[in-house]
Amino acid sequence: MLKQSKSVNTANGRKLTFKPFKKPVKGLPDGFEEATWAKLQAAVRAVHNKEPVSTSLEELYKAVEDMCHHKMAESLYARLQKECDAHIASQIQRLASSSTADPVLFLDQVGAVWDDMCRQMLTIRQVFTFLDRSFVVAAPGVRSLFDMGLQQFRTHLEARPQVGEKLQRGLLQQIQTERRGDAINRQLLTNLLRMLSSLGIYSTAFEAPFLEETTQFFQEEGRRLMEELDPAGYLLHCERRLREELMRRRECLAEGTEPPLQEAVEAQLVAAHLAALLDRGFPTLVAARRLDDLARLYNLADRVDMLDPVRFAFRDHIKATGTALVMDKDKDGEMVQGLLDMKAAMDAVLQQSFEGDPDFGNTLKEAFEAFINQRQNKPAELIAKFIDAELKSGKKGQTEDQLEATLDRVLILFRYISGKDVFEAFYKKDLAKRLLLGRSASTDAEKGMIAKLKAQCGAQFTSKLEGMFKDVDLSRDIVSSFRSSTAAQARIPQGVDMNINIMTAGYWPTYPVVDAKLPAELNEYQQVFKDFYLDKHQGRRLVWHNSLGTCLLKAHFQKGPKELSVSLFQTVVLSLFNDADRLGFTDIAAATGIEDRELRRTLQSLACGKWRVLTKEPKGRDVNDGDTFVFNAGFSAQLYRIKINSIQMRETVEENTKTNEQVVQDRQHQIDAAIVRIMKTRKTLSHALLVSELLVQLKFPIRTQDMKKRIESLIDREFLARDSANSNVYQYLA
Amino acid sequence: MMKRAKKAMGGAANRAAGGSSALFEQYCDPATDEIGPEGVERFCSDINTDPSDRKVLLLAWKMRAKRMGFFSREEFQSGLTALKATTTAQIQRALPGLEEQVECNPDSFRDFCTFAFKYCLTEPSQKLIDIDTAVTMLAIVMPREPLMPRFCDFLKEQTEYKVINFDQWTSFLRFAQEVKPDLSNYRDEDAWPILLDNFVEWGRRNADRPIDFT
């Protein structure tokens, strides 16, 4: 034997020697293969029988190695294969002939067989490592030893379908058992499912039937629980079930099962019943502010891609509740507060339950816009009145910030209204009263409100309102310079002082001019002022509005003097009593020249109300022509200053109707103007196009019938004519 | 051809003028030089026609009479010229032809209806006729229109309009021509006056009611 060795010097000086591979020994002893195999076979059988192996591991390794070296690897593999095959076959056969009826016990048995198989195969593989790493690796199409075992297991399993069936039934039953609330051996379940995965039969042997059973189970459960539980309870149950299923999946089932499993549960429990849930439960949940339940609903609906039905339910609920609020004529006084509360509640639902979802936000807005405009004019009027109340003095208990917050919230409601001109009319009327009678709580709050309106509706909307403020400021300046003008001051009568507001007619609401014969001093004062003013502003015309005047009178009664805060008309009447103690109605009428109804109202307020500075003979609430009025010298009251002037502040029903009518009139004019404008440009236009053009141009809601009325009126007044050839076309008549 | 016809008409007119003038003077009131109500009554009797008959209105139309119950000299004469009649007998014979003309010629019918409305206006600046007059006039002007009786019922029953204006009158005429008696092809998004929108709504609601022909 030649020994050729190479020596290499290593770093530490030691010599490494490479020895060549041992050449195969010529001439093996007879029966080498059989003898060696016999040793190995015994070992394999011992492993399979769970008996101790007599031969040492090292000797077994060597045996394998030897056989491989002597080109016996292939036959060794074949022998081993046959050995394992037989064993696995018998194991499976034992399972097949198992008479165990109880699926749990059967699963145990299967589990045990599998555990054994795995363990034993690993041991055998360990012994035959050399074979595994040399022959198997080199030869194409030859499975590794462990895989070989798996393959054999699978083959025999498939040859005994009843085993597979029993196994499947057992596994599915376990899951159903756990679903029903009883405990199971999760470890076993996991093991067996991993076994199926390893064998490559997981989908067919387990997953497919599992998903089908899951679908059926939850289909039945869904139907049943929909009848038994209320919607909130049902949703809670869905959430719980989904959680349970996913947790079980994570622990026991393959990862790929999760999407179909989730889908099946969601479809059967949630999607199939969402419409009914919304129908039955949505309005109640919202009304009861069950934000958590609604959030759960939102999440579940999102998972099954059915947010739209939820959104529609939200919309319908808002519309229904809102319409009831707005249409109940008996509850007009509470409408605005009701709307504010409702908006706040819906916002809470939107933010906290629906995650501020922008689609839901839009739907909320559209729903509010839809119902608030169901009732024409009233909401706008009430909102204006609400703001008026907030801005008047005497609104205690609010900080500036709170007031601002309330106004902001009210303005959001205002934004939903389509007939904004109604609001403007009422707001203007109320603002005028506040400014002229000094009833604003804070000028800052007033100006802030205007700024907000301007931001919302544009400068044109608020230009007149701003004009009113300017007038008040200018008036203050003029009065101030009037008071400092010595010339003017020299001419005014003693004992009178006036504060004057000059209103530019276009900005302010229109007031009827009610004449009265004012006391001489007032007339004089007014004249001096008028001269002063017109001197500075030539070409202007001043018209005194008696109905808006208020006075502070010093009255001397027997029990002492009092200051009376009264209207100008009341002043005119009272000053008559400077020269007489008793006066008949007709005399008063003649002396004051006040219009009949207004005069009676005024006298009533002085003689029949809470503070009777005059007495009426005969007594009674109504003022009749034959009545006599007497100065009540014995008048007494606790306070020094007494307000008898409440009529002006209170809005009468007539005023209200008048304002509404004014809006209607203005709208008619605007429609007419728009029609003429359009027809003048187009010369000839079809009815349909005229209507659609009007809808674009007009800023308030309008019915086709209203448009037709104005068109007919314009035809009558010969601004337009119907085309002789085509009846649906109008011609402009120049 | 046209020129000759004109000439012939001119000649006939000259000859007829004498005849119609004489006829006119049989009925006119010498003080006013026009035929007044009394004369009209006699005239109608002579042509064997009731004064409230449609044919009389047709005559007035042909004459372009301005005032109801009166015919001026020019009106009377031009009317007779247009009819090519100078005697009451000739007038009487021409009447069926007049009826046929408005029956068969849509333009004439429209002209006749327009005339009928204006004929009812008695005051100088009047532009409206009251419901009763309108109803009476409609019955005379379009007696055979299937929609007319129902429209008249409606006019009498509704309270929104107390008077009819010219636009509404002519619109009804167009309505009668375009809309089916069962109102099925009516579209309210069209430019019909509101009066007619209301009529259709009323008509559909009262579809089963028997019509009042009184």
Side-chain angles (χ1 to χ4, degrees):
Chain A
M1 252 186 314
L2 281 174
K3 272 192 188 173
Q4 290 176 22
S5 45
K6 250 186 171 174
S7 287
V8 171
N9 282 334
T10 58
N12 55 8
R14 291 257 197 95
K15 281 194 180 184
L16 269 182
T17 318
F18 288 105
K19 289 199 182 124
F21 242 131
K22 278 207 186 129
K23 289 203 173 103
V25 176
K26 295 193 196 86
L28 280 173
D30 283 333
F32 168 73
E33 192 176 346
E34 294 306 323
T36 320
W37 169 243
K39 246 194 289 185
L40 291 169
Q41 188 185 46
V44 170
R45 287 200 177 158
V47 169
H48 281 162
N49 294 330
K50 297 185 189 168
E51 287 159 1
V53 179
S54 43
T55 332
S56 79
L57 206 51
E58 204 183 319
E59 207 178 318
L60 293 171
Y61 283 157
K62 191 162 181 311
V64 173
E65 202 181 324
D66 282 343
M67 288 189 77
C68 286
H69 280 158
H70 288 92
K71 300 188 198 275
M72 294 171 195
E74 195 171 343
S75 82
L76 176 59
Y77 187 92
R79 288 183 206 256
L80 179 58
Q81 191 173 33
K82 191 164 151 213
E83 196 61 38
C84 291
D85 193 64
H87 174 74
I88 290 172
S90 78
Q91 291 292 85
I92 304 273
Q93 181 53 45
R94 268 182 48 214
L95 284 178
S97 35
S98 158
S99 57
T100 315
D102 182 348
V104 180
L105 291 178
F106 185 73
L107 291 183
D108 271 328
Q109 290 169 356
V110 176
V113 163
W114 170 255
D115 280 343
D116 288 345
M117 204 288 292
C118 289
R119 228 179 327 106
Q120 290 162 6
M121 216 46 231
L122 280 174
T123 311
I124 293 171
R125 206 231 10 223
Q126 198 180 15
V127 169
F128 287 78
T129 302
F130 196 86
L131 180 65
D132 215 13
R133 290 198 189 150
S134 57
F135 166 68
V136 173
V137 169
V142 173
R143 287 198 173 76
S144 77
L145 292 177
F146 194 80
D147 283 350
M148 174 194 81
L150 284 181
Q151 178 59 34
Q152 288 168 338
F153 196 91
R154 179 177 166 167
T155 308
H156 288 290
L157 201 53
E158 279 170 4
R160 303 268 184 278
Q162 68 269 46
V163 176
E165 278 161 26
K166 221 164 158 184
L167 172 62
Q168 185 187 88
R169 246 179 296 130
L171 291 171
L172 293 177
Q173 227 178 60
Q174 282 289 78
I175 291 178
Q176 296 294 63
T177 306
E178 200 181 53
R179 280 178 178 157
R180 291 210 182 87
D182 295 322
I184 60 165
N185 184 346
R186 276 216 176 163
Q187 187 59 48
L188 177 60
L189 182 65
T190 311
N191 275 350
L192 290 173
L193 291 178
R194 291 224 189 101
M195 170 187 86
L196 294 179
S197 289
S198 305
L199 294 174
I201 54 176
Y202 175 81
S203 333
T204 44
F206 173 75
E207 195 183 52
F210 165 69
L211 289 173
E212 204 185 298
E213 249 194 30
T214 302
T215 303
Q216 277 176 5
F217 177 81
F218 285 113
Q219 189 181 64
E220 185 278 330
E221 186 178 83
R223 287 204 194 120
R224 186 170 38 89
L225 291 181
M226 277 297 287
E227 312 232 338
E228 289 172 19
L229 299 174
D230 68 313
Y234 184 86
L235 290 170
L236 201 56
H237 177 85
C238 290
E239 205 181 54
R240 180 170 71 81
R241 271 298 190 210
L242 279 165
R243 201 172 34 234
E244 281 170 8
E245 291 295 314
L246 292 182
M247 271 172 51
R248 180 187 309 113
R249 201 295 303 156
R250 252 155 236 174
E251 202 181 307
C252 311
L253 278 57
E255 208 177 303
T257 308
E258 184 156 316
L261 170 62
Q262 191 167 340
E263 209 185 294
V265 180
E266 285 171 356
Q268 294 309 317
L269 282 187
V270 181
H273 301 284
L274 189 65
L277 283 167
L278 288 172
D279 228 16
R280 260 183 254 168
F282 192 85
T284 346
L285 288 178
V286 176
R289 314 271 182 267
R290 303 274 285 271
L291 298 177
D292 289 337
D293 290 323
L294 287 168
R296 187 169 300 117
L297 172 66
Y298 180 84
N299 279 318
L300 289 172
D302 195 18
R303 290 168 88 156
V304 295
D305 216 4
M306 285 176 79
L307 278 181
D308 276 346
V310 180
R311 193 160 56 84
F312 298 150
F314 190 44
R315 172 199 68 192
D316 294 341
H317 176 79
I318 293 176
K319 275 191 182 170
T321 333
T323 305
L325 243 180
V326 155
M327 302 298 268
D328 187 350
K329 298 206 171 144
D330 297 328
K331 297 230 178 88
D332 276 353
E334 305 145 26
M335 192 202 286
V336 179
Q337 192 57 50
L339 287 173
L340 287 173
D341 294 340
M342 184 186 159
K343 176 75 167 52
M346 294 304 121
D347 280 344
V349 170
L350 174 66
Q351 292 307 324
Q352 294 178 41
S353 304
F354 299 152
E355 298 176 6
D357 185 325
D359 287 335
F360 279 72
N362 272 337
T363 297
L364 188 153
K365 177 170 91 81
E366 284 166 10
F368 264 85
E369 277 172 0
F371 79 71
I372 212 172
N373 290 304
Q374 292 261 32
R375 186 139 167 232
Q376 291 292 329
N377 298 359
K378 213 37 169 183
E381 181 195 314
L382 291 173
I383 289 178
K385 238 203 282 235
F386 184 90
I387 299 177
D388 178 56
E390 293 286 312
L391 291 174
K392 274 210 276 256
S393 59
K395 190 74 184 156
K396 302 179 185 80
Q398 273 200 93
T399 66
E400 217 176 275
D401 288 337
Q402 279 174 334
L403 177 61
E404 175 137 8
T406 308
L407 291 175
D408 280 333
R409 292 195 305 146
V410 174
L411 267 191
I412 291 179
L413 288 181
F414 166 71
R415 221 187 301 180
Y416 297 136
I417 296 183
S418 53
K420 293 186 165 54
D421 53 349
V422 177
F423 174 86
E424 193 200 349
F426 278 98
Y427 191 83
K428 193 156 91 161
K429 176 173 73 73
D430 293 335
L431 174 64
K433 268 203 178 141
R434 291 197 301 275
L435 289 176
L436 295 176
L437 300 174
R439 290 278 180 264
S440 301
S442 131
T443 326
D444 282 343
E446 293 276 0
K447 298 236 167 114
M449 192 64 210
I450 303 288
K452 287 189 220 284
L453 285 172
K454 191 169 177 174
Q456 280 250 23
C457 307
Q460 210 197 15
F461 189 83
T462 51
S463 62
K464 292 198 185 120
L465 304 172
E466 288 180 309
M468 287 159 73
F469 278 96
K470 258 191 266 176
D471 277 351
V472 170
D473 289 339
L474 283 174
S475 300
R476 214 191 335 260
D477 292 340
I478 291 182
V479 170
S480 163
S481 68
F482 179 74
R483 289 203 178 123
S484 41
S485 152
T486 33
Q489 292 304 307
R491 293 176 56 205
I492 54 169
Q494 294 301 316
V496 187
D497 186 33
M498 260 197 221
N499 189 30
I500 297 171
N501 276 310
I502 297 138
M503 311 185 288
T504 311
Y507 298 152
W508 299 74
T510 36
Y511 299 102
V513 178
V514 185
D515 285 323
K517 295 183 188 156
L518 301 185
E521 312 97 304
L522 295 185
N523 268 329
E524 259 182 70
Y525 195 107
Q526 282 186 337
Q527 191 57 48
V528 176
F529 181 83
K530 195 166 167 184
D531 293 339
F532 175 80
Y533 182 84
L534 292 177
D535 187 51
K536 292 199 184 300
H537 301 279
Q538 277 126 7
R540 290 196 186 170
R541 201 170 76 90
L542 287 180
V543 174
W544 297 99
H545 276 286
N546 296 324
S547 56
L548 299 170
T550 56
C551 303
L552 201 53
L553 299 177
K554 203 171 220 160
H556 297 273
F557 297 101
Q558 277 168 1
K559 299 211 177 116
K562 295 278 182 217
E563 250 180 28
L564 304 176
S565 173
V566 286
S567 74
L568 183 56
F569 292 134
Q570 287 167 327
T571 305
V572 171
V573 168
L574 286 175
S575 57
L576 294 179
F577 289 87
N578 276 336
D579 302 315
D581 276 335
R582 310 174 58 87
L583 288 166
F585 175 79
T586 36
D587 293 331
I588 296 176
T592 61
I594 295 176
E595 182 263 328
D596 187 73
R597 226 165 36 142
E598 187 67 55
L599 179 59
R600 283 179 211 265
R601 243 210 308 250
T602 306
L603 282 167
Q604 247 182 351
S605 69
L606 293 170
C608 314
K610 188 170 174 195
W611 312 110
R612 302 203 181 166
V613 290
L614 299 177
T615 50
K616 186 170 82 78
E617 292 164 11
K619 291 210 191 314
R621 271 235 341 246
D622 294 319
V623 172
N624 300 308
D625 290 5
D627 291 348
T628 308
F629 293 86
V630 188
F631 174 69
N632 183 5
F635 176 78
S636 71
Q638 279 227 326
L639 303 162
Y640 177 63
R641 180 184 293 199
I642 301 167
K643 227 169 33 162
I644 319 188
N645 164 32
S646 47
I647 307 176
Q648 276 174 323
M649 273 319 286
R650 230 188 313 122
E651 181 187 276
T652 58
V653 176
E654 309 164 352
E655 262 186 356
N656 201 319
T657 321
K658 212 178 65 120
T659 310
N660 271 311
E661 278 170 7
Q662 192 69 38
V663 175
V664 171
Q665 286 269 9
D666 285 343
R667 284 183 179 178
Q668 277 188 347
H669 291 146
Q670 286 186 57
I671 300 171
D672 285 358
I675 294 175
V676 171
R677 194 170 50 234
I678 294 167
M679 290 305 300
K680 195 165 174 179
T681 318
R682 310 288 224 104
K683 299 287 182 248
T684 175
L685 196 59
S686 75
H687 177 79
L689 286 179
L690 178 58
V691 166
S692 65
E693 186 61 37
L694 280 172
L695 286 172
V696 165
Q697 286 203 19
L698 296 171
K699 297 272 180 294
F700 45 82
I702 173 172
R703 303 172 302 166
T704 338
Q705 216 199 18
D706 299 327
M707 286 191 263
K708 267 196 180 181
K709 271 215 179 88
R710 300 320 305 158
I711 291 171
E712 281 185 58
S713 164
L714 287 169
I715 289 176
D716 208 42
R717 287 182 276 157
E718 295 179 19
F719 282 90
L720 308 176
R722 297 187 197 273
D723 187 281
S724 48
N726 186 342
S727 50
N728 272 324
V729 171
Y730 301 109
Q731 298 278 358
Y732 179 68
L733 299 174
Chain B
M1 208 40 169
M2 279 288 283
K3 283 200 183 143
R4 249 189 286 142
K6 262 195 186 163
K7 254 215 183 144
M9 275 260 299
N14 286 332
R15 263 185 283 127
S20 64
S21 182
L23 198 60
F24 177 76
E25 271 147 27
Q26 278 184 37
Y27 303 102
C28 82
D29 176 354
T32 59
D33 196 37
E34 59 179 8
I35 304 177
E38 185 263 327
V40 168
E41 226 184 290
R42 275 189 293 123
F43 174 67
C44 289
S45 158
D46 288 349
I47 57 172
N48 292 309
T49 308
D50 190 279
S52 61
D53 193 300
R54 187 170 185 243
K55 302 195 201 44
V56 180
L57 185 62
L58 283 164
L59 267 177
W61 168 57
K62 258 308 170 196
M63 295 179 193
R64 308 227 161 277
K66 293 258 173 22
R67 266 172 82 200
M68 202 187 286
F70 294 83
F71 297 131
S72 75
R73 189 183 283 271
E74 304 97 273
E75 287 167 0
F76 191 80
Q77 284 181 204
S78 70
L80 261 56
T81 309
L83 288 177
K84 299 209 200 48
T86 47
T87 65
T88 51
Q90 285 173 341
I91 293 170
Q92 208 173 333
R93 275 201 297 277
L95 290 177
L98 257 189
E99 285 208 293
E100 207 186 306
Q101 190 187 358
V102 293
E103 209 71 24
C104 304
N105 185 333
D107 287 330
S108 296
F109 182 61
R110 203 175 306 130
D111 196 54
F112 175 51
C113 289
T114 305
F115 167 79
F117 181 90
K118 298 201 170 137
Y119 199 53
C120 297
L121 303 173
T122 53
E123 307 306 311
S125 58
Q126 186 183 352
K127 287 163 77 177
L128 311 160
I129 60 177
D130 63 82
I131 295 291
D132 286 332
T133 311
V135 164
T136 313
M137 203 38 108
L138 282 170
I140 298 177
V141 156
M142 44 175 87
R144 274 189 292 284
E145 167 57 49
L147 279 168
M148 184 272 295
R150 252 186 301 160
F151 186 58
C152 290
D153 270 357
F154 162 72
L155 282 177
K156 285 185 277 192
E157 219 177 87
Q158 59 85 41
T159 50
E160 193 179 330
Y161 294 93
K162 308 269 190 290
V163 286
I164 302 290
N165 66 25
F166 186 59
D167 179 47
Q168 288 162 323
W169 178 267
T170 46
S171 294
F172 178 68
L173 174 60
R174 199 166 37 86
F175 184 95
Q177 286 168 347
E178 291 178 18
V179 177
K180 295 197 202 148
D182 64 359
L183 306 174
S184 57
N185 63 337
Y186 179 84
R187 298 183 339 136
D188 67 4
E189 57 267 27
D190 283 341
W192 299 107
I194 296 177
L195 175 68
L196 294 174
D197 289 338
N198 293 350
F199 170 54
V200 170
E201 204 187 301
W202 176 94
R204 286 179 179 154
R205 254 185 301 133
N206 291 295
D208 302 327
R209 236 177 39 172
I211 301 169
D212 178 17
F213 279 104
T214 53

